[in-house]
Amino acid sequence: MKGKFLLSLGFGALWLAVSVYFSVFWAQEASCALPQWYVWWAIIGIALLPGFLMSAMFFSNLIHWRLRSYPDTDRETTILMCAHNEEAAISQAIRAVLEQDYQGMIRLLVIDNASEDGTREEVLNMQRLAGEKRKVEYLYCPQLGKANALNCGLAQVHTPFFLTVDADTCLEKQAVRRMMNHITAASSVCVAGNLFVRNARASLATRMENYDYLLSIAAVKRFQGSYHSTLVAQGAFSAYRTEVVRETGGWQNVLGEDIVLTYALLQQGLVSSYEPAAVGYTEVPQTCNGLYNQRKRWAIGMLEGLSSVPPWRQGSAYSRYFTWVNLWVIYLDLAFLFGLLPGVLLALCGYYYLAGCLTLFTLAVSVVLFLSTYLYQKKLKIPFQKDLLGFLLFLFLFQAVQSTAALQGYLTWLVHGKEEWG
């Protein structure tokens, strides 16, 4: 593992060296019209640092191309499904759990987090469909907040392993089996599943998000998981070792409760991994405003994780590296908004100071990275929705939305703004 990690960083460093060579001439020309400090700040943020990070990730994912398999298990497991006003979606999520091909007992514990709609009635109706090795139980949690609901459910877990699944996430038929095989056979204390977008054709926003989950998020999780340092075992679909989560204190009442928990586990030098073959189809925001607010919350959650366990306090060299990368993401967002976007506007006016042929070359490299991730996801033979328009929107528009939302999230966190879980 160490050798592959160093090889990947070496490939990234080689790419960086070549990029710096070309950037010197670029910077000299641009500095004739713009302040030199700003030129280099922008070039590092929109070309050099992203190029290093993406090339290292690309090479690592390439040498970790083979899918790992684990022996089958039939150990009893528990699934925690938190629900707040989810009457429209929860029946399908429960049905997907009941139809899993897993041979062991599955106890589905639905935690109703102060719902004011028909969530309770939907859960009770679905109890009748439970078979011999499937149980559906209802638990009411009056304290609003996802962390409160998860901790309420955790207190009722009696199995060595448990999974969390969102009430708007439908699991692919083999998902539980693959997650349980992984976590029982490996040394992992938590395993993140692979999320596809369920409502990919609902709007222009979901069409962009479809490729963010399919390409960006999946590529990052594969990279981190290859070195036992997946930074987010997301609440939408992940597996955990029960006693370890209890000893860590469960979930904190923050926006990024899943991020903070994963950081706390990694701080102890424990293994957080990723199972690409365990797929869940999740609902994503259908409006641009919904997408914006989601990514703002994710940015706040990232800062909550970094403030709870800074990079230098992480338990392994790998988790320290990846949390430092998360810290650099703040700079990358700023460089995109105040470096690349102004550069594109200047280029449209005929001034190619910060955006030109090299920018197009960087875009081509990104496409190669996305193509390799797409082929890997296709290798899983689990259906996902393909959409050329969605990919183009993702390629040219998505980052502007994400970085703008993230910037507001960073500022909100700095002034200790309050957000509600929903």
Side-chain angles (χ1 to χ4, degrees):
M1 188 168 69
K2 181 179 179 181
K4 290 180 179 179
F5 184 70
L6 293 176
L7 275 175
S8 301
L9 294 187
F11 184 82
L14 179 61
W15 182 272
L16 178 62
V18 174
S19 300
V20 168
Y21 173 79
F22 288 106
S23 296
V24 170
F25 303 103
W26 179 11
Q28 288 175 347
E29 184 177 345
S31 296
C32 296
L34 299 170
Q36 188 177 44
W37 67 266
Y38 171 73
V39 170
W40 276 110
W41 176 86
I43 288 176
I44 293 171
I46 68 178
L48 300 184
L49 184 55
F52 167 75
L53 296 175
M54 286 196 300
S55 57
M57 180 168 63
F58 167 76
F59 187 80
S60 176
N61 287 347
L62 203 61
I63 59 180
H64 288 97
W65 187 260
R66 185 175 62 87
L67 278 171
R68 296 192 65 177
S69 59
Y70 302 90
D72 283 333
T73 183
D74 59 358
R75 300 185 67 172
E76 181 179 354
T77 190
T78 305
I79 296 179
L80 301 183
M81 182 178 288
C82 300
H84 175 68
N85 294 336
E86 293 285 359
E87 67 171 334
I90 197 167
S91 293
Q92 294 180 4
I94 293 174
R95 188 183 299 275
V97 171
L98 297 178
E99 294 176 351
Q100 289 294 299
D101 70 356
Y102 185 59
Q103 295 302 307
M105 171 69 74
I106 298 177
R107 176 191 177 217
L108 174 60
L109 182 57
V110 182
I111 306 101
D112 182 353
N113 192 203
S115 295
E116 299 173 342
D117 62 355
T119 295
R120 179 178 180 274
E121 288 72 22
E122 291 293 329
V123 176
L124 297 180
N125 286 336
M126 293 302 295
Q127 284 181 328
R128 297 175 301 174
L129 302 179
E132 181 182 354
K133 290 189 175 182
R134 303 290 182 264
K135 292 181 181 178
V136 179
E137 299 179 17
Y138 175 85
L139 178 65
Y140 185 77
C141 175
Q143 283 185 292
L144 191 62
K146 192 171 184 180
N148 294 326
L150 286 166
N151 288 323
C152 187
L154 178 63
Q156 304 299 318
V157 175
H158 309 299
T159 52
F161 306 93
F162 71 92
L163 287 75
T164 60
V165 178
D166 277 356
D168 60 359
T169 300
C170 289
L171 300 182
E172 190 269 334
K173 195 171 182 178
Q174 301 173 334
V176 171
R177 174 166 59 86
R178 286 169 169 167
M179 286 289 263
M180 285 299 295
N181 290 350
H182 185 135
I183 197 166
T184 56
S187 58
S188 306
V189 297
C190 60
V191 182
N194 187 1
L195 291 177
F196 290 172
V197 172
R198 183 179 168 197
N199 54 334
R201 292 297 185 97
S203 67
L204 292 179
T206 63
R207 294 171 90 160
M208 289 193 296
E209 292 172 88
N210 180 39
Y211 282 95
D212 182 45
Y213 278 83
L214 183 68
L215 304 178
S216 292
I217 295 175
V220 170
K221 285 190 179 297
R222 273 180 61 206
F223 186 24
Q224 296 172 349
S226 298
Y227 305 101
H228 298 170
S229 300
T230 304
L231 293 187
V232 186
Q234 69 280 344
F237 181 35
S238 291
Y240 300 87
R241 291 182 183 264
T242 307
E243 285 308 311
V244 176
V245 175
R246 284 196 175 124
E247 290 168 1
T248 306
W251 292 268
Q252 296 184 30
N253 194 18
V254 293
L255 274 180
E257 75 287 330
D258 48 2
I259 302 174
V260 172
L261 174 60
T262 313
Y263 274 46
L265 295 172
L266 288 169
Q267 184 185 19
Q268 302 172 53
L270 303 173
V271 174
S272 171
S273 55
Y274 172 61
E275 180 48 65
V279 171
Y281 296 90
T282 191
E283 293 273 345
V284 297
Q286 295 190 20
T287 65
C288 286
N289 186 55
L291 169 61
Y292 185 92
N293 287 328
Q294 180 198 61
R295 298 314 164 107
K296 182 178 71 173
R297 292 195 300 270
W298 287 11
I300 295 172
M302 184 186 77
L303 291 181
E304 289 171 340
L306 288 169
S307 64
S308 66
V309 185
W312 53 90
R313 285 172 45 198
Q314 278 295 340
S316 73
Y318 305 112
S319 59
R320 285 194 290 274
Y321 170 79
F322 290 118
T323 47
W324 273 115
V325 169
N326 263 12
L327 194 58
W328 295 339
V329 165
I330 301 172
Y331 167 42
L332 296 180
D333 283 325
L334 293 173
F336 180 87
L337 293 173
F338 302 109
L340 182 60
L341 291 186
V344 171
L345 291 176
L346 286 171
L348 292 175
C349 297
Y351 303 101
Y352 303 102
Y353 300 132
L354 297 176
C357 294
L358 287 178
T359 311
L360 294 176
F361 180 68
T362 304
L363 184 63
V365 172
S366 300
V367 171
V368 172
L369 171 63
F370 293 144
L371 177 61
S372 67
T373 306
Y374 172 84
L375 293 175
Y376 186 89
Q377 296 278 52
K378 192 175 181 181
K379 186 173 69 166
L380 301 175
K381 297 182 180 178
I382 298 174
F384 57 81
Q385 298 192 49
K386 292 169 281 190
D387 176 16
L388 179 59
L389 175 60
F391 176 68
L392 293 175
L393 289 170
F394 163 72
L395 198 60
F396 293 104
L397 183 61
F398 183 81
Q399 191 59 49
V401 177
Q402 170 140 312
S403 292
T404 305
L407 177 59
Q408 186 176 352
Y410 303 148
L411 295 174
T412 300
W413 183 82
L414 285 173
V415 297
H416 304 289
K418 299 296 182 181
E419 296 280 344
E420 292 183 358
W421 171 66

